[in-house]
Amino acid sequence: MQSDDVARTVAAQIGERFLGLEPFPRTAGRLRFRSEAALPLFHTVKEQLGFHHLSMVGGIDWVTHREVFYVVWSDDRRQYLLLSADLPAAAPHIESAASVWPAANWHERETWELVDIQFDHHPDLRHLLLPDGYEAHPLLRSFQLHEPEELEVKQRSV
Amino acid sequence: MSAPPAPPMPRTAGSAAEAYRLEGELPMVEQPAVPFVEIETVRAREFIPAAKEAFGALIAEQGQAKLIRPTFNWAGRNSLFPLHWGLACCAIEFASAFSARWDSERFGIVPRSSPRQCDLMIVNGTVTWKVAHKLITLYEQMPEPKWVIAMGNCATGGGPFRTAYSVVPGVDKLVPVDVYIAGCPPRPEAMIDGILRLEELIRERRE
Amino acid sequence: MWINMGPQHPMTHGLWNLRVKIDGELITDCDPEMGYLHRGIEKISEDRHYNEVITLMDRTCYVAGFAWEHLYVLAAEEALHIQPPERAEYLRTLCEEFQRIGSHLMWYAAFVQDIGLMSPFLYGMRDRDLVLDLFQSYTGARMTYEYMRVGGVRNDLPPGFTGHARKVLDWLSDRFVEYDRLCLGSDIFRKRCDGLGVLSAADCVATGVTGPMLRSAGVKRDVRRDRPYAAYPQLDFDVAVADGADVTARYLVRMEEMRQSVRLLRQVLDWLDHHPGPVLADRLPRWLGAPYAPVGKEEYVLKRNYPKGVGFSSIEEPHGEAQAYVVNEGSEHPYRVKFRSPVFANLSATRHYLVGYRVADIPPIMGSVDICVGEVDR
């Protein structure tokens, strides 16, 4: 019942850039949208639907493309809503949510450095967990882990 | 903000003895009574002349060169001041070792917050590459003679995180380590045992 | 002038660096610098079997290992379409509530020591050890338990556990009264805590702050009630709230939470006494606990077509609201594991509750946040 309301409101606001609301157990659903509609969607979800609390921002590397997802919570509905958008694997970028939910600031910094997703108009996009100047993005699938002994052997042979 | 006033006293007054009676389900071994040793108390201003006299007699008997190093080691090993810093999980067990049950201060181990007051660095947790140079700085700021204990598997060899991209696989890649303590995390007893092993090493120290 | 407090500083309780900009004694800006304990747990998890990730969860938040095990296990079960037996859910609730007491006692010990009272540190650690003894009796470990499993828990409680646990609860509920007398009756405590570090409810929601910090601002939000999981729907408890949103209010919320945990635990223990049963789901896939594939021999991992799925879980961890997102792509390893750490969000709001106070107020304010760096950096 409530989920219909979410789909209707979002569809009215962002039109065909809304790609559907998939059912997700024990939440209001998983809302798929096109990345260019990010900012109007965030405003709709926060101001019209009442999801005032941003809990988490994360990214997934699907090799062919990247996915960025947001988890928001509404105190009135007592429900989570998952927002997710697909981004191209080459130069993935999306509008920052920090102007809508200030809580997104650190989460986006973390997602940027670990999954390499650029957040446009982010107030302060710099390294958070990794040292300054670290260039790799460890949570990409192409990033391999090694046993330390293995690395030493490699360094010696080079 | 008006917090409520302090509540009345509880039904049972708390004491450590009562707390430990709770775990008395297991059969406890009767400990023999330790004979009480009478210690002669001296005032501070009497202490230095008394010590001078005693050491003078010893030096006359054994020779100065033979005596300085053992005395120095004896004093050093009984007042190890570890650096007070917490890296990861082992830091919680490190803190437990200073709580009422283990009471590491019995062994003269008192954590200090400034590296310049310390002679022992207990690396209690995972060392990442981001903190590596800070660890070396702290080590260099400690006055000689100084010792390092690698506490737990992470400090010894990276532990469960050895394959991670950000973890130093063993703190001995950065600073010389004297004692390794195994465990993930080691129990406080293990930490105290490690420090006692270090005291044995200090006892034999020459140079 | 910017000054660094950390990474080695008695205030930090872990490895992080608080950079504060000061004007005389007044804090005008601040910028926490994190990542000194970043161990790449999310990346390592992609290389582990589902049950092997639990090992890492204990070390993610080392003062609340059970809560994080529970968080991960709930998400993994949703992703793998496994239902745990009812007794396992009660056992997990038992673990989580005892862990909440243990974690809050650890916080109490460290926080009150920051303010300048030494004996509460000894009392807090003494009583925490009693809780750890209980954990040790059925998991064999004091801090890193590896007790929960995808599909249940590892083993049942030893005989006589519930009676012993009730005695500990009796002991603890008397001690909470003593703690309150010690702290609320102390002029030093009240002068150093009242009216400090105020973070209003609106700011809390905007900056993503959860847990005792949010409840100290009068917002009645608790995942255990709003989106109940495990055995919480069947249990009776109140959400601890306070008004004032300052350091004292956070103290009051945590103390009340411990009392509510005691209340919950008595109900759980009564249930456990009367409902024996299995603690691990039958018909679990064998590969959940399969050995770790040797590095460089990835073909050893069989690529079978297991049903895919995505799991999302959210629990009320002692520090706040933690979330996990587990993606199962039909292999032995999770494809992606993502965690939301409550302390991560609470620390990102530092600017809102530190600016405007004095340098000497930093230890009580940051102490009241209850920082566990392991889960912030992961």
Side-chain angles (χ1 to χ4, degrees), chain A residues 5 12 33 35 37 46 63-64 66 74 80-81 83-84 87 96-97 116 137 142-144 148 154 157:
Chain A
D5 152 45
F33 65 99
S35 59
K46 186 186 175 189
V63 185
T64 53
R66 308 249 166 93
S74 160
Y80 287 106
L81 176 69
L83 316 172
S84 114
L87 309 172
S96 165
D116 190 18
H137 300 280
S142 53
F143 188 96
Q144 295 283 321
K154 268 187 195 166
S157 61

PDB file of all heavy atoms in Angstrom, chain A residues 5 12 33 35 37 46 63-64 66 74 80-81 83-84 87 96-97 116 137 142-144 148 154 157:
ATOM      1  N   ASP A   5       2.349   4.255  -3.132  1.00  0.00           N
ATOM      2  CA  ASP A   5       2.437   5.699  -2.952  1.00  0.00           C
ATOM      3  C   ASP A   5       3.832   6.194  -3.334  1.00  0.00           C
ATOM      4  O   ASP A   5       3.977   7.203  -4.032  1.00  0.00           O
ATOM      5  CB  ASP A   5       2.060   5.992  -1.494  1.00  0.00           C
ATOM      6  CG  ASP A   5       2.703   7.230  -0.963  1.00  0.00           C
ATOM      7  OD1 ASP A   5       2.679   8.218  -1.683  1.00  0.00           O
ATOM      8  OD2 ASP A   5       3.200   7.187   0.178  1.00  0.00           O
ATOM      9  N   ALA A  12       5.712  10.618 -10.820  1.00  0.00           N
ATOM     10  CA  ALA A  12       5.179  11.929 -11.175  1.00  0.00           C
ATOM     11  C   ALA A  12       6.283  12.972 -11.217  1.00  0.00           C
ATOM     12  O   ALA A  12       6.228  13.917 -11.999  1.00  0.00           O
ATOM     13  CB  ALA A  12       4.103  12.338 -10.171  1.00  0.00           C
ATOM     14  N   PHE A  33      16.612   4.000 -10.481  1.00  0.00           N
ATOM     15  CA  PHE A  33      16.439   5.265 -11.213  1.00  0.00           C
ATOM     16  C   PHE A  33      17.659   5.509 -12.077  1.00  0.00           C
ATOM     17  O   PHE A  33      18.713   4.913 -11.886  1.00  0.00           O
ATOM     18  CB  PHE A  33      16.210   6.421 -10.236  1.00  0.00           C
ATOM     19  CG  PHE A  33      17.384   6.715  -9.334  1.00  0.00           C
ATOM     20  CD1 PHE A  33      18.263   7.747  -9.621  1.00  0.00           C
ATOM     21  CD2 PHE A  33      17.619   5.941  -8.207  1.00  0.00           C
ATOM     22  CE1 PHE A  33      19.342   8.008  -8.798  1.00  0.00           C
ATOM     23  CE2 PHE A  33      18.695   6.194  -7.379  1.00  0.00           C
ATOM     24  CZ  PHE A  33      19.555   7.224  -7.677  1.00  0.00           C
ATOM     25  N   SER A  35      20.778   7.744 -13.326  1.00  0.00           N
ATOM     26  CA  SER A  35      21.641   8.570 -12.486  1.00  0.00           C
ATOM     27  C   SER A  35      21.435  10.053 -12.753  1.00  0.00           C
ATOM     28  O   SER A  35      21.669  10.871 -11.881  1.00  0.00           O
ATOM     29  CB  SER A  35      23.095   8.188 -12.710  1.00  0.00           C
ATOM     30  OG  SER A  35      23.426   8.368 -14.061  1.00  0.00           O
ATOM     31  N   ALA A  37      18.794  11.654 -12.914  1.00  0.00           N
ATOM     32  CA  ALA A  37      17.666  12.187 -12.145  1.00  0.00           C
ATOM     33  C   ALA A  37      17.969  12.233 -10.660  1.00  0.00           C
ATOM     34  O   ALA A  37      17.062  12.374  -9.844  1.00  0.00           O
ATOM     35  CB  ALA A  37      16.430  11.337 -12.392  1.00  0.00           C
ATOM     36  N   LYS A  46      13.092  12.885   0.036  1.00  0.00           N
ATOM     37  CA  LYS A  46      13.232  13.472   1.360  1.00  0.00           C
ATOM     38  C   LYS A  46      12.035  14.347   1.716  1.00  0.00           C
ATOM     39  O   LYS A  46      11.438  14.190   2.782  1.00  0.00           O
ATOM     40  CB  LYS A  46      14.513  14.307   1.432  1.00  0.00           C
ATOM     41  CG  LYS A  46      14.762  14.813   2.835  1.00  0.00           C
ATOM     42  CD  LYS A  46      15.920  15.751   2.926  1.00  0.00           C
ATOM     43  CE  LYS A  46      16.029  16.320   4.330  1.00  0.00           C
ATOM     44  NZ  LYS A  46      17.002  17.396   4.423  1.00  0.00           N
ATOM     45  N   VAL A  63      31.696  -5.049 -12.784  1.00  0.00           N
ATOM     46  CA  VAL A  63      32.630  -5.199 -13.898  1.00  0.00           C
ATOM     47  C   VAL A  63      32.077  -4.527 -15.162  1.00  0.00           C
ATOM     48  O   VAL A  63      32.705  -3.614 -15.699  1.00  0.00           O
ATOM     49  CB  VAL A  63      32.994  -6.678 -14.159  1.00  0.00           C
ATOM     50  CG1 VAL A  63      34.050  -6.754 -15.248  1.00  0.00           C
ATOM     51  CG2 VAL A  63      33.512  -7.322 -12.884  1.00  0.00           C
ATOM     52  N   THR A  64      30.872  -4.928 -15.618  1.00  0.00           N
ATOM     53  CA  THR A  64      30.321  -4.279 -16.810  1.00  0.00           C
ATOM     54  C   THR A  64      29.834  -2.872 -16.492  1.00  0.00           C
ATOM     55  O   THR A  64      29.836  -2.002 -17.346  1.00  0.00           O
ATOM     56  CB  THR A  64      29.147  -5.100 -17.362  1.00  0.00           C
ATOM     57  OG1 THR A  64      28.215  -5.311 -16.298  1.00  0.00           O
ATOM     58  CG2 THR A  64      29.611  -6.437 -17.898  1.00  0.00           C
ATOM     59  N   ARG A  66      28.859  -0.078 -12.805  1.00  0.00           N
ATOM     60  CA  ARG A  66      28.894   0.099 -11.350  1.00  0.00           C
ATOM     61  C   ARG A  66      27.491   0.416 -10.883  1.00  0.00           C
ATOM     62  O   ARG A  66      26.700   0.973 -11.620  1.00  0.00           O
ATOM     63  CB  ARG A  66      29.801   1.270 -10.962  1.00  0.00           C
ATOM     64  CG  ARG A  66      31.164   1.184 -11.555  1.00  0.00           C
ATOM     65  CD  ARG A  66      32.230   0.922 -10.538  1.00  0.00           C
ATOM     66  NE  ARG A  66      33.438   0.525 -11.264  1.00  0.00           N
ATOM     67  CZ  ARG A  66      34.375   1.387 -11.635  1.00  0.00           C
ATOM     68  NH1 ARG A  66      34.293   2.638 -11.272  1.00  0.00           N
ATOM     69  NH2 ARG A  66      35.408   0.983 -12.326  1.00  0.00           N
ATOM     70  N   SER A  74      12.499   6.412   6.978  1.00  0.00           N
ATOM     71  CA  SER A  74      11.450   7.373   7.301  1.00  0.00           C
ATOM     72  C   SER A  74      10.902   7.061   8.684  1.00  0.00           C
ATOM     73  O   SER A  74      10.503   5.928   8.952  1.00  0.00           O
ATOM     74  CB  SER A  74      10.335   7.287   6.272  1.00  0.00           C
ATOM     75  OG  SER A  74       9.166   7.848   6.815  1.00  0.00           O
ATOM     76  N   TYR A  80      12.532   1.317   5.681  1.00  0.00           N
ATOM     77  CA  TYR A  80      13.684   1.695   4.875  1.00  0.00           C
ATOM     78  C   TYR A  80      13.270   1.736   3.417  1.00  0.00           C
ATOM     79  O   TYR A  80      12.341   1.037   2.995  1.00  0.00           O
ATOM     80  CB  TYR A  80      14.807   0.675   5.012  1.00  0.00           C
ATOM     81  CG  TYR A  80      15.521   0.722   6.326  1.00  0.00           C
ATOM     82  CD1 TYR A  80      15.321  -0.259   7.278  1.00  0.00           C
ATOM     83  CD2 TYR A  80      16.407   1.738   6.604  1.00  0.00           C
ATOM     84  CE1 TYR A  80      15.973  -0.227   8.486  1.00  0.00           C
ATOM     85  CE2 TYR A  80      17.069   1.777   7.813  1.00  0.00           C
ATOM     86  CZ  TYR A  80      16.852   0.796   8.748  1.00  0.00           C
ATOM     87  OH  TYR A  80      17.501   0.840   9.932  1.00  0.00           O
ATOM     88  N   LEU A  81      13.989   2.535   2.643  1.00  0.00           N
ATOM     89  CA  LEU A  81      13.825   2.525   1.196  1.00  0.00           C
ATOM     90  C   LEU A  81      15.224   2.468   0.599  1.00  0.00           C
ATOM     91  O   LEU A  81      16.119   3.191   1.041  1.00  0.00           O
ATOM     92  CB  LEU A  81      13.086   3.788   0.736  1.00  0.00           C
ATOM     93  CG  LEU A  81      12.928   3.972  -0.764  1.00  0.00           C
ATOM     94  CD1 LEU A  81      11.964   2.937  -1.318  1.00  0.00           C
ATOM     95  CD2 LEU A  81      12.399   5.371  -1.071  1.00  0.00           C
ATOM     96  N   LEU A  83      17.571   3.022  -2.655  1.00  0.00           N
ATOM     97  CA  LEU A  83      17.620   3.675  -3.960  1.00  0.00           C
ATOM     98  C   LEU A  83      18.843   3.125  -4.682  1.00  0.00           C
ATOM     99  O   LEU A  83      19.897   2.982  -4.068  1.00  0.00           O
ATOM    100  CB  LEU A  83      17.774   5.189  -3.818  1.00  0.00           C
ATOM    101  CG  LEU A  83      16.912   5.886  -2.771  1.00  0.00           C
ATOM    102  CD1 LEU A  83      17.345   7.330  -2.635  1.00  0.00           C
ATOM    103  CD2 LEU A  83      15.459   5.817  -3.166  1.00  0.00           C
ATOM    104  N   SER A  84      18.708   2.800  -5.950  1.00  0.00           N
ATOM    105  CA  SER A  84      19.893   2.282  -6.618  1.00  0.00           C
ATOM    106  C   SER A  84      19.915   2.735  -8.061  1.00  0.00           C
ATOM    107  O   SER A  84      18.877   2.832  -8.724  1.00  0.00           O
ATOM    108  CB  SER A  84      19.925   0.758  -6.492  1.00  0.00           C
ATOM    109  OG  SER A  84      19.780   0.147  -7.724  1.00  0.00           O
ATOM    110  N   LEU A  87      25.625   2.921 -13.111  1.00  0.00           N
ATOM    111  CA  LEU A  87      26.507   3.917 -13.707  1.00  0.00           C
ATOM    112  C   LEU A  87      27.415   3.204 -14.700  1.00  0.00           C
ATOM    113  O   LEU A  87      27.700   2.014 -14.532  1.00  0.00           O
ATOM    114  CB  LEU A  87      27.360   4.594 -12.625  1.00  0.00           C
ATOM    115  CG  LEU A  87      26.618   5.143 -11.416  1.00  0.00           C
ATOM    116  CD1 LEU A  87      27.605   5.596 -10.363  1.00  0.00           C
ATOM    117  CD2 LEU A  87      25.740   6.300 -11.823  1.00  0.00           C
ATOM    118  N   SER A  96      26.066  14.499  -6.073  1.00  0.00           N
ATOM    119  CA  SER A  96      26.217  14.221  -4.646  1.00  0.00           C
ATOM    120  C   SER A  96      24.910  14.464  -3.894  1.00  0.00           C
ATOM    121  O   SER A  96      24.165  15.390  -4.210  1.00  0.00           O
ATOM    122  CB  SER A  96      27.304  15.121  -4.076  1.00  0.00           C
ATOM    123  OG  SER A  96      27.224  15.128  -2.679  1.00  0.00           O
ATOM    124  N   ALA A  97      24.674  13.617  -2.905  1.00  0.00           N
ATOM    125  CA  ALA A  97      23.467  13.778  -2.089  1.00  0.00           C
ATOM    126  C   ALA A  97      23.724  14.659  -0.879  1.00  0.00           C
ATOM    127  O   ALA A  97      22.831  14.877  -0.066  1.00  0.00           O
ATOM    128  CB  ALA A  97      22.957  12.422  -1.637  1.00  0.00           C
ATOM    129  N   ASP A 116      35.570   4.004  -6.498  1.00  0.00           N
ATOM    130  CA  ASP A 116      35.859   4.886  -7.630  1.00  0.00           C
ATOM    131  C   ASP A 116      34.579   5.358  -8.316  1.00  0.00           C
ATOM    132  O   ASP A 116      34.385   5.151  -9.515  1.00  0.00           O
ATOM    133  CB  ASP A 116      36.790   4.179  -8.634  1.00  0.00           C
ATOM    134  CG  ASP A 116      37.296   5.158  -9.682  1.00  0.00           C
ATOM    135  OD1 ASP A 116      37.222   6.356  -9.430  1.00  0.00           O
ATOM    136  OD2 ASP A 116      37.754   4.706 -10.740  1.00  0.00           O
ATOM    137  N   HIS A 137      41.828   1.762  -6.199  1.00  0.00           N
ATOM    138  CA  HIS A 137      40.502   1.712  -5.589  1.00  0.00           C
ATOM    139  C   HIS A 137      40.240   0.271  -5.184  1.00  0.00           C
ATOM    140  O   HIS A 137      39.863  -0.549  -6.012  1.00  0.00           O
ATOM    141  CB  HIS A 137      39.452   2.230  -6.576  1.00  0.00           C
ATOM    142  CG  HIS A 137      39.701   3.644  -6.984  1.00  0.00           C
ATOM    143  ND1 HIS A 137      39.343   4.714  -6.200  1.00  0.00           N
ATOM    144  CD2 HIS A 137      40.313   4.159  -8.060  1.00  0.00           C
ATOM    145  CE1 HIS A 137      39.712   5.820  -6.790  1.00  0.00           C
ATOM    146  NE2 HIS A 137      40.302   5.519  -7.913  1.00  0.00           N
ATOM    147  N   SER A 142      38.911  -5.755 -10.045  1.00  0.00           N
ATOM    148  CA  SER A 142      40.219  -5.964 -10.671  1.00  0.00           C
ATOM    149  C   SER A 142      41.350  -5.868  -9.656  1.00  0.00           C
ATOM    150  O   SER A 142      42.488  -6.224  -9.952  1.00  0.00           O
ATOM    151  CB  SER A 142      40.421  -4.920 -11.768  1.00  0.00           C
ATOM    152  OG  SER A 142      40.204  -3.633 -11.239  1.00  0.00           O
ATOM    153  N   PHE A 143      41.075  -5.398  -8.455  1.00  0.00           N
ATOM    154  CA  PHE A 143      42.101  -5.245  -7.418  1.00  0.00           C
ATOM    155  C   PHE A 143      42.282  -6.584  -6.715  1.00  0.00           C
ATOM    156  O   PHE A 143      41.345  -7.126  -6.136  1.00  0.00           O
ATOM    157  CB  PHE A 143      41.647  -4.164  -6.435  1.00  0.00           C
ATOM    158  CG  PHE A 143      42.686  -3.761  -5.433  1.00  0.00           C
ATOM    159  CD1 PHE A 143      43.471  -2.657  -5.648  1.00  0.00           C
ATOM    160  CD2 PHE A 143      42.866  -4.489  -4.261  1.00  0.00           C
ATOM    161  CE1 PHE A 143      44.418  -2.273  -4.720  1.00  0.00           C
ATOM    162  CE2 PHE A 143      43.821  -4.111  -3.331  1.00  0.00           C
ATOM    163  CZ  PHE A 143      44.592  -2.998  -3.569  1.00  0.00           C
ATOM    164  N   GLN A 144      43.488  -7.157  -6.796  1.00  0.00           N
ATOM    165  CA  GLN A 144      43.735  -8.494  -6.254  1.00  0.00           C
ATOM    166  C   GLN A 144      44.402  -8.404  -4.884  1.00  0.00           C
ATOM    167  O   GLN A 144      45.220  -7.526  -4.648  1.00  0.00           O
ATOM    168  CB  GLN A 144      44.652  -9.274  -7.196  1.00  0.00           C
ATOM    169  CG  GLN A 144      44.043  -9.565  -8.542  1.00  0.00           C
ATOM    170  CD  GLN A 144      43.043 -10.707  -8.473  1.00  0.00           C
ATOM    171  OE1 GLN A 144      43.256 -11.674  -7.778  1.00  0.00           O
ATOM    172  NE2 GLN A 144      41.940 -10.577  -9.190  1.00  0.00           N
ATOM    173  N   PRO A 148      51.305 -11.921   1.976  1.00  0.00           N
ATOM    174  CA  PRO A 148      52.489 -11.072   2.050  1.00  0.00           C
ATOM    175  C   PRO A 148      53.751 -11.744   1.514  1.00  0.00           C
ATOM    176  O   PRO A 148      54.572 -11.086   0.877  1.00  0.00           O
ATOM    177  CB  PRO A 148      52.612 -10.756   3.538  1.00  0.00           C
ATOM    178  CG  PRO A 148      51.620 -11.587   4.244  1.00  0.00           C
ATOM    179  CD  PRO A 148      50.609 -12.017   3.256  1.00  0.00           C
ATOM    180  N   LYS A 154      57.789 -11.358  -5.272  1.00  0.00           N
ATOM    181  CA  LYS A 154      57.640 -10.565  -6.484  1.00  0.00           C
ATOM    182  C   LYS A 154      58.585  -9.373  -6.462  1.00  0.00           C
ATOM    183  O   LYS A 154      59.260  -9.083  -7.439  1.00  0.00           O
ATOM    184  CB  LYS A 154      56.204 -10.060  -6.598  1.00  0.00           C
ATOM    185  CG  LYS A 154      55.325 -10.980  -7.390  1.00  0.00           C
ATOM    186  CD  LYS A 154      53.981 -10.337  -7.605  1.00  0.00           C
ATOM    187  CE  LYS A 154      52.991 -11.385  -8.060  1.00  0.00           C
ATOM    188  NZ  LYS A 154      51.630 -10.917  -7.979  1.00  0.00           N
ATOM    189  N   SER A 157      62.160 -10.377  -7.143  1.00  0.00           N
ATOM    190  CA  SER A 157      62.460 -10.770  -8.512  1.00  0.00           C
ATOM    191  C   SER A 157      62.497  -9.539  -9.420  1.00  0.00           C
ATOM    192  O   SER A 157      63.161  -9.554 -10.437  1.00  0.00           O
ATOM    193  CB  SER A 157      61.420 -11.776  -9.007  1.00  0.00           C
ATOM    194  OG  SER A 157      60.153 -11.173  -8.975  1.00  0.00           O
TER     195      SER A 157
END
